[in-house]
Amino acid sequence: MITSAELRASFLDYFAQRQHERVVSSPLVPANDPTLLFTNAGMVQFKELFLGRERRDYSRAVSSQRCVRAGGKHNDLENVGYTARHHTFFEMLGNFSFGDYFKREAIQFAWEYLTQVLSLPPERLWITVYEDDDEAADIWLKEIGVDAARFSRCGAKDNFWSMGDTGPCGPCSEIFFDHGPEIPGGPPGSPDEDGDRYVEIWNLVFMQFDRDAEGKLTPLPRPSVDTGMGLERLAAVMQGVHSNYDIDLFRHLIDAAAEVTGCADRADKSLRVIADHIRSTVFLIIDGVMPSNEGRGYVLRRIMRRAIRHGYRLGCSEIFFHRLVAPLVAEMGEAYPELVSSQSNVERVVKLEEERFAETLEHGMGILDEAISALSGDRIPGETVFKLYDTYGFPVDLTADIARERGLSLDMDGFEQAMAQQKERARAASQFGAAQTREIQVQGETDFCGYERLQEEATVVALYRE
Ligand code: ATP
Ligand code: MG
Ligand code: MG
Ligand code: MG
């Protein structure tokens, strides 16, 4: 069986042998890019090259990029625990051309790598292209000889890729793997494509435009290529398992999570959430993010608290999350030596956050349970959601996660009203100066940080509603 580490090496070697420069992963916090929360794709560190604003002495590159998708345009937080294929943290394998090769070679490389190097059977691979991309369609159907029965054209939602609201973008072509008829889900482009039977493994983006804040597309100086393939998804295919959470790398993490939480059912979704979230937590911390009440730090806090709450769901009465740092380092320290050197520091940060949240978690859960048993409909009142958020440090998405488990929803209008009132109080208080502000802060909120965090949560709420 090929391991995840061997797959990573195989991909990098294949493209290095084809004149691609090996470039190391950049950090999760993008350098000088306020438009982006976290590095969410391999192309992020090459953005300026695509735009023609930077030159390097190579025009082809290959990388294995660590990515986080837990906020912003690409947000998979809500998918973790529910699909077999999504993580908040994952590694993206990618090859890039900066005005060098374009569609033909990108498609040829991908097909050769999958069917010749990895020997995947062509009849299990499905292809999509952007609806009006005849050029890519011809290459797949006429040159590569893909069966038209496993080929489709899709709209912009899936086949026009962009990093964020602005920046480089273009039509793309995607490769899916059919995990077999036992698994529910229809082929790409069909109405039930959201199942997990046909899993998207590789996206080939034909970078052609720069989108500005008004949405206007300007052609890039030179057409380029950006591809991305999830290492964990490829490992699942190559290791003959359906779920990413059953690959070598995750098996060990799930074992460790089962041990520290005392949960015997290795298929329990909470173990998957915890195993996923320890990766994003640790990698965000080593890349300089600290749990806090604003910006990136708040996203990290949301991830951590969500994982901690899943431990609580499994019956953990002691703090446990920091105990998963060591197993993660054992698993990934070889590929990322910085994990080893920061281990004790990271453990300290995680433990501190656990201790903070432990003080309010149990009490907050009690309040939520009470509110739920008093419900007449199936919506948790906005007042309750706000109180949990404001007084007990429950990020809204955490409460939403609990609601979803129990088949309930949240009254977001009510939440926003409560938040608007709080904002008004905070604004009024700040006009009165420090004394009153302090008074309001002391008045009850263990975790009240005023105006900025409310702003932040408003952004999160907007994301959550999308
Ligand atoms: P999906 O439709 O399955 O959510 P995507 O279209 O959002 O995937 P892309 O933005 O095209 O994904 O990213 C390129 C590749 O990165 C995907 O083909 C997949 O292999 C991998 N990938 C994307 N999101 C995740 C994730 N949350 N966890 C693991 N791998 C991912
Ligand atoms: Mg996605
Ligand atoms: Mg997709
Ligand atoms: Mg895609």
Side-chain angles (χ1 to χ4, degrees), residues 69 74 128 157-161 172-176 200-205 228 233:
R69 293 193 173 183
H74 296 277
T128 64
K157 184 175 83 61
D158 287 307
N159 285 61
F160 195 93
W161 198 89
C172 63
S173 177
E174 298 193 321
I175 303 172
F176 292 70
E200 177 189 326
I201 52 173
W202 202 346
N203 188 355
L204 317 178
V205 185
R233 291 188 190 185

Side-chain angles (χ1 to χ4, degrees), residues 188-203:
S190 75
D192 57 343
E193 65 173 3
D194 284 341
D196 265 338
R197 172 173 169 180
Y198 299 86
V199 171
E200 177 189 326
I201 52 173
W202 202 346
N203 188 355

